[in-house]
Structures are given as C-alpha cells and as structure tokens.
Amino acid sequence: MNATSKNQSDCPEVQVPVPVFFTFGVVSLTENLLVVVAIIRNRNLHSPMYCFICSLAAFNTIASLSKTWETLMITFAEVGQLEKTGFSETKLDDVMDCLLCMSFVGSFFSFLAIAVDRYITIFYALRYHNIMTMSRTGAILGLIWITCGVLAVLLVKFFDFKAIMICFVVFFIISLVILCLLYIYMFMLALIHARKIAALTAGEGGKCRHHRRWGNNMRGALTLTILSGVFVVCWAPFFLHLIIMTVCPMNPYCECYRSLFQLHVVLLMSHALIDPAIYAFRSTELRHTFRKMLFCSDWKLCS
C-alpha cells in the first residue's frame, strides 16, 4: 500500500527507524495477548460485552503481529536475505496486508457490536439476558470474523482498481457516521432517562440502586466512546492517505502529505498499543485479573 509514484514535490519522505516499528509491534502484541488471555481465564468476564472486547483485542493482536512480521521482512530484505520482489516474498506481503485490512474492518465491527450491546444494556436492562445470549454473541462474532476475512482478501486482491479503494474509503466514512449517530442517540436517551430517574417518587434506597446501576452502564458507554475516538484519530490519517492516492496522485501538495506515510503507519500501530491501556484503566475486573496474571507464579493459587 505504501508503493507510490516518484515524489514530484520538494517534501522528502519521512523515515521512521525500523526499531520504532518493531518496538510498537512487540509491545502492542504483548498487551493485546494479555487482554485475550485475561478474558478467557476469568469467568467473571465471560459476558457478551467482554467477548466483543476480546474480539477487538484479537484483531489488534493480528494487526500487531502482521506489522511486526512485515518489519522483520523489510529488515531482512535490506541486508540482502530476502528479495523485495520475489514471488514468495510478494505473496507473504499480500498476506500481511490482508491481515492488516482484516484487523481494521474487524476493529470497526467490534466497536459497533460493543455499542449495540451497551445500548441494549442501558435501555433494555430487564430483557438484556434474553436478547444478548451467549449463543447469539457467538453467532455475531462468527459472522464478524468471516465477513472481515472475505472483505480483506477482496480488498488486497483488487486493490489496484480505484473502485475498490473508493468503496473501502466510503465504508469507513459511512460506518463512522453510523457509529456517531448511535452515540448521539444513546446519550440523548440517557439524558432523558436520567431526568426521569430524578423525578421518581420511589424510596431513596431504590433510587440509589437505580442510579448506581445506571452510572455503571453509562461508564461502560463512556469507555466505548473513548475507544472509538482513539480508533478514529489513529486511523483517519491513513484513510486520508488512501483518498489522496485516488484523488490527486501527482499533485505536489498531495505528495507532501503522502511523504508522511510512515508516520501514519506508526499512528495506526499506536491504536493497538493504546486500547489495552484503556481497558486496564476503565475496568476494575480486568485490572484485578491483570494483577493476578502478572504477580502470581501459580495461577491456581490466584483463583
């Protein structure tokens, strides 16, 4: 994807040292694997929301793994151990691109699934366990992973067609609009619901319990909002790069922006690095599980 025509502007391409890519990849890979293992290990986290978070962490793990492996391939190619245009190297690079595209689409679908789950939790609390069963959650996750795999293969295979790139960018914009509208609708209803709670004439104890449960649900929605905001900030420059490649491939001003491609990739990789930190900061149960995993030599003694 970073193969471009010869730079026609006075802006030299910004080079990011290979150790930076490698460090980002290894650290984010470790963090997201830790999240996946923590959710699998802790039975208290076996709920639809944490299943979707686990899926998100798994997609981030794939992104980190693919970029780390690609960095190693570039390093070996620079020292003459690999051919940059060899058949097997090209095919392997296509696989890495497929995994990266799959991680992007999967991350967005995971965010959307978490948003819908939060919506049901907040506004259909009494029916939540009937609506979001674990079997339905598994079916949704299976559909997400299959769809993401197919879309990633199609995108990489037909990437040279402008129509495919345009569809990819349009998908990003439409999905972003849908997610933003869902947030706006969710928080508008939350404001209305909060006013209704304040007007209740029930006993103080019942109101306090209602307020506490409502606060916990809104805290989860706020965490999702933070995660989605980080996702947009980290991926938007890369998508603007794709748009520029399509709209003005030879314009010198566009070339100046394209010269920052490696910085955009670093920002893209930082998404997988930041997400687990947000999980740990916002979720008490995850923090407790992380401490048990990191500081207990015998996991059975920590149960």
Side-chain angles (χ1 to χ4, degrees):
M1 288 185 182
N2 60 349
T4 63
S5 59
K6 186 177 180 180
N7 200 315
Q8 302 296 322
S9 71
D10 295 329
C11 302
E13 184 177 358
V14 176
Q15 298 289 335
V16 176
V18 172
V20 173
F21 282 114
F22 188 75
T23 301
F24 267 67
V26 171
V27 174
S28 60
L29 177 63
T30 304
E31 286 183 346
N32 285 283
L33 278 177
L34 188 63
V35 172
V36 173
V37 173
I39 293 176
I40 292 175
R41 171 168 166 72
N42 190 340
R43 292 182 179 273
N44 293 331
L45 300 178
H46 291 183
S47 64
M49 184 190 73
Y50 280 106
C51 286
F52 293 133
I53 289 179
C54 184
S55 175
L56 176 60
F59 280 119
N60 285 338
T61 300
I62 291 174
S64 303
L65 182 61
S66 62
K67 288 307 300 179
T68 303
W69 184 254
E70 188 175 50
T71 301
L72 289 175
M73 288 179 60
I74 293 173
T75 303
F76 287 139
E78 288 178 350
V79 297
Q81 297 299 317
L82 287 176
E83 296 182 18
K84 292 185 178 181
T85 58
F87 177 78
S88 59
E89 288 81 2
T90 302
K91 291 298 182 183
L92 189 56
D93 185 63
D94 288 342
V95 172
M96 297 298 104
D97 288 340
C98 281
L99 292 177
L100 188 62
C101 293
M102 180 179 176
S103 68
F104 163 75
V105 180
S107 295
F108 212 99
F109 281 160
S110 296
F111 281 128
L112 193 57
I114 296 172
V116 173
D117 178 79
R118 287 293 86 195
Y119 176 82
I120 297 173
T121 302
I122 295 172
F123 300 107
Y124 297 93
L126 298 179
R127 297 171 51 199
Y128 175 78
H129 293 291
N130 293 327
I131 298 173
M132 289 300 297
T133 62
M134 290 303 292
S135 59
R136 286 180 181 173
T137 301
I140 293 171
L141 288 174
L143 181 62
I144 288 175
W145 280 81
I146 293 173
T147 302
C148 293
V150 172
L151 290 178
V153 171
L154 292 176
L155 178 65
V156 173
K157 186 174 181 61
F158 301 103
F159 186 76
D160 291 335
F161 294 90
K162 281 191 176 182
I164 296 297
M165 190 184 300
I166 292 173
C167 289
F168 193 43
V169 173
V170 170
F171 164 79
F172 174 74
I173 296 174
I174 293 177
S175 300
L176 184 61
V177 170
I178 292 174
L179 198 59
C180 289
L181 290 177
L182 183 60
Y183 284 148
I184 294 172
Y185 182 63
M186 185 186 303
F187 284 106
M188 285 180 63
L189 288 180
L191 182 61
I192 295 173
H193 200 79
R195 290 174 179 172
K196 290 181 179 180
I197 292 176
L200 286 177
T201 58
E204 290 298 323
K207 290 176 68 175
C208 287
R209 286 194 298 271
H210 203 150
H211 274 292
R212 186 162 50 250
R213 185 178 65 184
W214 179 261
N216 291 335
N217 289 336
M218 290 308 299
R219 180 180 173 85
L222 181 59
T223 300
L224 174 60
T225 304
I226 296 172
L227 288 170
S228 302
V230 170
F231 175 82
V232 172
V233 170
C234 292
W235 280 88
F238 176 76
F239 266 84
L240 182 56
H241 182 95
L242 294 183
I243 294 173
I244 287 175
M245 285 177 62
T246 306
V247 176
C248 55
M250 302 301 294
N251 187 288
Y253 295 102
C254 294
E255 286 294 335
C256 277
Y257 183 83
R258 291 173 65 181
S259 67
L260 303 175
F261 179 79
Q262 291 196 16
L263 291 179
H264 302 158
V265 176
V266 170
L267 190 60
L268 182 151
M269 294 175 66
S270 67
H271 170 248
L273 192 70
I274 297 172
D275 272 2
I278 298 175
Y279 304 148
F281 179 74
R282 303 288 299 181
S283 173
T284 304
E285 190 68 38
L286 266 179
R287 288 201 304 271
H288 178 64
T289 306
F290 289 154
R291 282 196 295 268
K292 286 175 28 174
M293 291 172 58
L294 294 175
F295 299 111
C296 293
S297 58
D298 187 353
W299 285 14
K300 291 183 179 180
L301 296 178
C302 301
S303 301

